[in-house]
Amino acid sequence: MRATTSTTGPASPAHGSGRRVEAAFAALHGADNALLVPGVVAATTATLLALTNPGGHIIASDQTGDPLRSVLTRELAGLGRTVTFVDCTDADAVVAAVEPATQVVYVPSLSDPLMKPAPLNEIAIHAQMNDLLLAVDNTGLSPAELRPLETGAVVVIEDTAPYLDGWSEVGAALVTGLDRYLPRIAEQCARLGGEVDAWAAHLLERSLSTLHLRLTAQRDGAERVAGALRAHPAVRQVHRPSFEESPWALETHRGFGGLLSFEVVPEISDLSGVLAVCGEEGDGTPLATAARLPARTTHAHLSERVRQEAGISRRLVRLSVGVDDTDVLIRRLRRALDAALQQNEGGQ
Amino acid sequence: MLNGVDLRARQALAEQIREDSWEAQLSMGVAAQGATADRCRVRTEPMRLGSTRVARAFGMDQCRGPGAGDSLDPVGSLLVALGASVADSLVTELTAEGCSPALLEVLPCAQFAADGAARLSYEIRLDGEVTPEQARRALAAARERGSAHRTLEEPNDIKAVVQTARDVHLTSRPMPSGAGPFVPGRRRSARVMWEVGTHVLAEVDGVRAESDQPKQLFGADLAPSAQEYFLAALAVEALGFADPGEATTTPDTPTASVHASGRIDLRGPYSTQDVPAGLRNILVQLLPADPTEEDRAAADAVRRWLAEGDALRLVRDAHTIDVSLVLDGTPVTLTT
């Protein structure tokens, strides 16, 4: 793990491509410095440890999935921090969770998998009024859609997947923010160890230059896919943010990226065909889009009761729309959903 | 990083707070509550550093008055605070000089006369690659900008509030030193040994303690800070007067508690600006066991503390602090 050239800390020396990635990412967010860290869990853990003291309290999103959620509830507890999970898309819920020892509000800019945008402007005001630091996980939107530092966040964390790395080949994360906090985060990263290798940094550097172009395509593709899914009889609900539902976002957001999720009707029990649409099945060409079931992956560790309370059902499918031919993607999804419906009718 | 002191980060903070004075305001507090007949439990409370919070989850047992065996008493707590603060200032200055001391000990001492007057002094013992001139410069800086040294050397108003059905607000103003000769009586001393960075180990009459700063102030969050020991001394001494702990209590019985708070403008200790470096706005709040009733006894007890408390008078009144320096076992002459 490395520090930027201008931050202090006992990190190993940054290689050229790593430095350039950090500089490019910082520029995308309007910051001066950034840190390239091997993994979003390590980046988030280091950030939260750096911004809090033993005995400190953190407010985090109740949509936080594994493995980060386990780190927050177990490892951080072992280091003297306590975490309260709340619905961070509701600023009042965040304020209600503030305790005397609260130091950090950790909010994903887009809740995953229910895809609700967090009102960062409002949360930032409450955070400032309560002397709290606002750290934002902007993985779901990327700087092409939202620059959280401009809304009042002090630190931004982003996984390189699905947006920063166009080919999903690099497992890394980037952290940027106000200069006064980055040296502490760099020091904490150095304690956790690890380093992003030069080749991975090189791949990332190439991808970052096309971020805005790719995001435009992914955003448009996600909108079309969401529209097609809403019209399909096998789909009960589509979770896709919009400016109609969140008009306040017009001030801060350019769009909502390429993520969406949808819940199929209760009659469908087998979703394997839907999950396979992005693979080589169907037309024989793999797609850049990724599909997964949160209840069996990121939120599998939660009890059914907690998942239900969070609105994450077993029939919820999360889609990360890539730079694909959207017509092909929609055609495959329709075919898979039709087949799932027919399978159910045949079974009856 | 020499001596565990991050000079670059300190300089960055100094520059930042020069520009943004509100970011230089550090407010802190402790709360003391009776634990046993002769002992209190002191808990440090979250600090406010500029526009951020600093969690402080430390607890320490202190005894209400002098003489209890295995816990610090209020005066002992003050001596730990003085030694820790002086050690912090000295190490920072020596690090800026490029020196790495092999040993740094501060031996603070308080002497009390029968009439309540007190004198303060401390001896610094330094070993290692430090020249007398470097040591003198470091010491001069510590005297000028060390927060505990300045707090004890300068007069301070102490405000107190007794929170009952009708709050009682009291202010204790500094008393001038008596004109008569000082006749030394009781003597209390401590030994504070620097470990690394802002971390020190201390010993007062066989009782061990340690002090450290939060990481936001370049410590390692290992123990209460010097300023928290300062406030703990006042809180515990006030509680000793207000609630001597003579009555036998059960765990369910409500007990009195004392909250002590203060503020430091970090531009004082961290930069060369002409800003007071000592603890300011010292406020002691007593919450009696039953705050719903008007409690004259509690207010009288606090008045008595304001008149007689040893730790209170050390903090409230101005004192000339005698300082001596021993470098590699040899006393070094200091110009005053």
Side-chain angles (χ1 to χ4, degrees), chain A residues 209-263:
Chain A
S209 60
T210 58
L211 177 68
H212 283 88
L213 282 173
R214 286 186 284 111
L215 248 293
T216 303
Q218 285 173 278
R219 184 196 312 138
D220 294 346
E223 294 293 348
R224 286 188 58 206
V225 170
L229 289 171
R230 283 190 189 103
H232 198 283
V235 176
R236 197 170 86 162
Q237 191 176 9
V238 176
H239 301 281
R240 169 74 187 162
S242 67
F243 288 117
E244 286 75 28
E245 288 176 3
S246 311
W248 50 265
L250 283 165
E251 290 179 19
T252 48
H253 292 57
R254 287 187 61 187
F256 298 100
L259 296 181
L260 65 104
S261 61
F262 61 96
E263 194 176 339

Side-chain angles (χ1 to χ4, degrees), chain A residues 24-37:
Chain A
F25 182 72
L28 283 168
H29 277 283
D32 292 330
N33 294 294
L35 304 166
L36 179 57
V37 183

Side-chain angles (χ1 to χ4, degrees), chain B residues 299-334:
Chain B
D300 290 343
V302 172
R303 284 193 187 93
R304 210 166 59 251
W305 170 60
L306 293 175
E308 299 171 14
D310 283 339
L312 172 115
R313 285 187 289 191
L314 283 173
V315 177
R316 183 192 63 193
D317 302 336
H319 298 87
T320 303
I321 303 177
D322 297 322
V323 182
S324 56
L325 174 64
V326 177
L327 182 59
D328 293 322
T330 308
V332 175
T333 310
L334 300 172

Side-chain angles (χ1 to χ4, degrees), chain B residues 108-143:
Chain B
C109 172
Q111 278 188 304
F112 298 92
D115 62 355
R119 276 188 177 174
L120 281 165
S121 63
Y122 57 84
E123 178 181 301
I124 291 161
R125 292 180 185 170
L126 265 173
D127 282 358
E129 295 168 359
V130 182
T131 67
E133 199 46 48
Q134 287 172 325
R136 281 194 201 98
R137 279 200 296 270
L139 183 53
R143 293 171 77 162

Side-chain angles (χ1 to χ4, degrees), chain A residues 289-319:
Chain A
T289 299
R292 72 170 180 228
L293 286 177
R296 295 223 181 141
T297 53
T298 50
H299 293 71
H301 63 288
L302 298 176
S303 70
E304 186 68 20
R305 179 187 59 80
V306 174
R307 272 201 303 267
Q308 289 294 337
E309 283 174 3
I312 301 164
S313 81
R314 291 175 180 228
R315 292 178 297 279
L316 185 73
V317 181
R318 175 196 186 268
L319 275 185

